Amino acid sequence: MLCAISGESPQVPVASRKSGNIFEKRLIEAYISENGTDPVTNEELSTDDLIDLKSARVVRPRPPTLTSVPSLLSIFQNEWDALALETYTLKQHLTQTRQELSTALYQHDAAVRVIARLSRERDEARDALSKITMNGGPTSNGDSMQIDGQGLSGVLIAKVDATQEKLSKTRRKRVVPEDWADADTVQSLKPQKLSDSLYPGSRSLSLNENGELALFGGADGVAGVYSIAQQEVIQTLRGGGGNITDGLWAGSRAILATSRGTVKVFDGASELSSFYIHAGEATSIALHPSGDILASVGVDKSYVFYDLESLTVAIQIYTDSSLTTAAFHPDGHLFAAGGLDGQIKVFDVKSGANAANFESTGPIQSLSFSENGTWLASVTKGENSVSIWDLRKAAQIRTLEIGSQINCVRWDYTGQFLLAAGPGGLSIQQYSKATKAWTEPLRSGSAAISAEWGPKARSIVSLGPDGSIFEFVKG
């Protein structure tokens, strides 16, 4: 007979009533007192379930002292028994751990295969969606557009016409407001840090109409409304997952776009509506001058117009390239979208017709229409310059070398100052109608992912690469 734990012939053998295995009595009693189970079958086991077995054995004499050889041998025997018991337990745990690891690896491999299959199906669906025409057939050429819906409603078309008529009549007669910033004021602007990193991974910044509230969000799908005066976040908005790719104000309402293709409208902290139209990331959003039409563009090669009064989708139009940024003309009759293919596509808002295309050297990073109604500024991803396009000539008329990478451009209300911001710093270019020349009244080394003009161009609010807020004020 051999002990099932130590593998040696037991001196005091006992048998388990449940498993029938033979054990050394002292070893099995020690195991039961610690675990309460049979070491072989893991069934519940108590000392009452042990049966003493009769066998011839030699009674060892009691050692007189611990300094004798027999006493040392007894101590070694006890240590060996404890070591054998521990080794047996470790073997059991190792076997169980191997089984659990094998199961986990199998499940992980299965999950990876499922994710790969779903990703492939998603990409195939996006590609198919981008090729769908109104009648369901394939596109005949790369320049054709595909329209989903019946076009803008008569109510929205009337708003577009009324806005264009109102703004275009006064544009040429508009004078620079008396209290507007001049070159000296812009030159004196100095940056001051308002906050530490709030939303890491932020891509865009938007100021409300009076320049008191900043809207921006991060890579965790959470956005915040930051009070410039109080220098703290006063509202938290949840985009529903994915990165916050863009944000803007429509009056008092905050609007967010996410990498999951969602466009959300908030009134205060309450979510008014959520649109999931894009098959993929919604890369940029823009507001019509009327304040009642919202536009979004996405990697699915489409742009979408929304009616903000009724909170409904007005129209979705597909193009021949993934779209990265968007802007409305200040009169509201044209809509420009920058493409991943390096094209700036200009569309008629009412009909969706492609009015013009401007070719750049790479993916378009940012667009901004000048308030003079004829110029459009654009930035190509990774470039150190800003391109100025003339809508009347349908050509590029100027390249402004900034000297560092640019992420965004913003014209001021008067059309004389152009703000360019990027990781290398911030630059303001000024155009003089009198001399027809460009100057640079301000250059700052303060890195910015995005920037916006403050009230009357007397301040600038910028978003740092780490998600912190800076304000440029007169120093």
Side-chain angles (χ1 to χ4, degrees):
M1 295 185 296
L2 296 177
C3 174
I5 294 177
S6 66
E8 296 182 345
S9 177
Q11 293 183 1
V12 182
V14 293
S16 169
R17 293 178 185 273
K18 296 189 176 181
S19 66
N21 289 299
I22 307 299
F23 301 99
E24 176 68 60
K25 187 173 183 178
R26 67 178 185 280
L27 293 181
I28 189 61
E29 287 179 346
Y31 189 90
I32 291 174
S33 66
E34 183 177 345
N35 300 287
T37 59
D38 188 300
V40 177
T41 64
N42 285 328
E43 295 180 283
E44 290 187 6
L45 188 67
S46 67
T47 54
D48 296 334
D49 296 322
L50 300 177
I51 303 173
D52 291 328
L53 301 179
K54 302 297 183 179
S55 64
R57 63 175 185 154
V58 177
V59 179
R60 292 179 293 176
R62 184 176 180 181
T65 64
L66 293 178
T67 57
S68 65
V69 172
S71 174
L72 292 174
L73 292 176
S74 176
I75 293 174
F76 293 155
Q77 180 65 54
N78 292 337
E79 291 296 328
W80 167 256
D81 292 343
L83 182 61
L85 187 61
E86 183 180 2
T87 302
Y88 181 80
T89 304
L90 289 175
K91 286 182 178 179
Q92 280 188 319
H93 290 168
L94 177 60
T95 302
Q96 182 180 359
T97 302
R98 283 177 173 173
Q99 292 175 345
E100 293 175 353
L101 179 60
S102 177
T103 302
L105 290 175
Y106 174 78
Q107 292 174 345
H108 176 267
D109 182 67
V112 169
R113 293 176 183 272
V114 170
I115 292 172
R117 177 175 58 82
L118 292 177
S119 299
R120 184 175 64 255
E121 292 176 356
R122 179 203 62 188
D123 294 340
E124 291 174 353
R126 285 178 177 174
D127 184 63
L129 185 61
S130 68
K131 297 178 181 178
I132 296 175
T133 61
M134 286 190 295
N135 61 7
T139 57
S140 58
N141 60 70
D143 297 328
S144 62
M145 293 189 308
Q146 306 127 31
I147 303 176
D148 184 6
Q150 300 300 319
L152 289 183
S153 65
V155 174
L156 293 182
I157 290 177
K159 287 183 179 180
V160 172
D161 287 336
T163 301
Q164 181 184 4
E165 182 178 1
K166 176 183 176 181
L167 296 177
S168 60
K169 282 183 178 180
T170 60
R171 187 165 307 284
R172 293 190 177 277
K173 299 178 182 179
R174 182 188 299 170
V175 296
V176 177
E178 291 183 2
D179 55 350
W180 204 261
D182 55 16
D184 293 335
T185 303
V186 170
Q187 190 174 10
S188 67
L189 297 179
K190 304 295 182 184
Q192 61 179 19
K193 191 173 184 179
L194 300 185
S195 75
D196 294 326
S197 177
L198 295 174
Y199 299 102
S202 299
R203 301 189 193 178
S204 67
L205 172 75
S206 177
L207 293 183
N208 67 343
E209 189 173 355
N210 58 22
E212 295 178 354
L213 301 177
L215 173 66
F216 62 109
D220 58 357
V222 178
V225 177
Y226 184 85
S227 171
I228 303 297
Q230 301 175 29
Q231 297 187 13
E232 63 179 1
V233 175
I234 59 174
Q235 282 180 355
T236 299
L237 310 176
R238 303 198 175 276
N243 299 343
I244 302 297
T245 56
D246 202 0
L248 59 76
W249 292 95
S252 62
R253 293 183 290 183
I255 304 177
L256 300 175
T258 74
S259 59
R260 292 188 176 180
T262 309
V263 176
K264 289 181 177 286
V265 183
F266 295 86
D267 187 3
S270 302
E271 182 180 318
L272 294 181
S273 186
S274 180
F275 303 98
Y276 188 74
I277 307 300
H278 291 286
E281 180 176 330
T283 52
S284 181
I285 51 179
L287 185 66
H288 189 266
S290 67
D292 294 328
I293 301 175
L294 175 73
S296 66
V297 297
V299 297
D300 60 353
K301 305 181 182 181
S302 76
Y303 68 88
V304 183
F305 287 164
Y306 309 84
D307 185 345
L308 290 181
E309 243 186 43
S310 61
L311 293 176
T312 56
V313 176
I315 191 172
Q316 183 175 21
I317 297 180
Y318 286 90
T319 67
D320 58 351
S321 172
S322 295
L323 303 178
T324 55
T325 185
F328 277 102
H329 187 276
D331 288 344
H333 65 297
L334 296 176
F335 173 72
L340 200 61
D341 60 354
Q343 271 196 348
I344 302 171
K345 309 170 194 298
V346 182
F347 302 97
D348 181 272
V349 171
K350 294 186 292 183
S351 66
N354 189 196
N357 288 327
F358 302 113
E359 296 286 346
S360 186
T361 57
I364 307 301
Q365 181 89 6
S366 180
L367 294 174
S368 181
F369 279 101
S370 171
E371 284 290 330
N372 66 15
T374 58
W375 287 358
L376 171 64
S378 71
V379 173
T380 301
K381 186 174 181 180
E383 294 292 330
N384 299 339
S385 60
V386 178
S387 299
I388 307 297
W389 307 86
D390 192 315
L391 300 180
R392 298 166 301 183
K393 300 177 181 179
Q396 181 176 346
I397 59 171
R398 184 80 181 189
T399 299
L400 302 175
E401 293 294 339
I402 306 301
S404 61
Q405 183 179 329
I406 304 300
N407 281 357
C408 76
V409 285
R410 296 289 185 270
W411 290 96
D412 78 321
Y413 173 74
T414 64
Q416 60 177 326
F417 295 115
L418 178 63
L419 168 63
L426 184 145
S427 171
I428 296 180
Q429 305 287 322
Q430 182 183 16
Y431 178 74
S432 171
K433 291 183 179 179
T435 62
K436 299 185 182 301
W438 288 88
T439 57
E440 186 182 47
L442 178 67
R443 174 178 290 272
S444 171
S446 178
I449 298 300
S450 182
E452 292 286 345
W453 288 101
K456 301 176 183 178
R458 291 184 171 273
S459 65
I460 298 170
V461 178
S462 68
L463 176 66
D466 61 347
S468 57
I469 295 292
F470 290 80
E471 184 179 24
F472 288 72
V473 293
K474 188 173 182 179

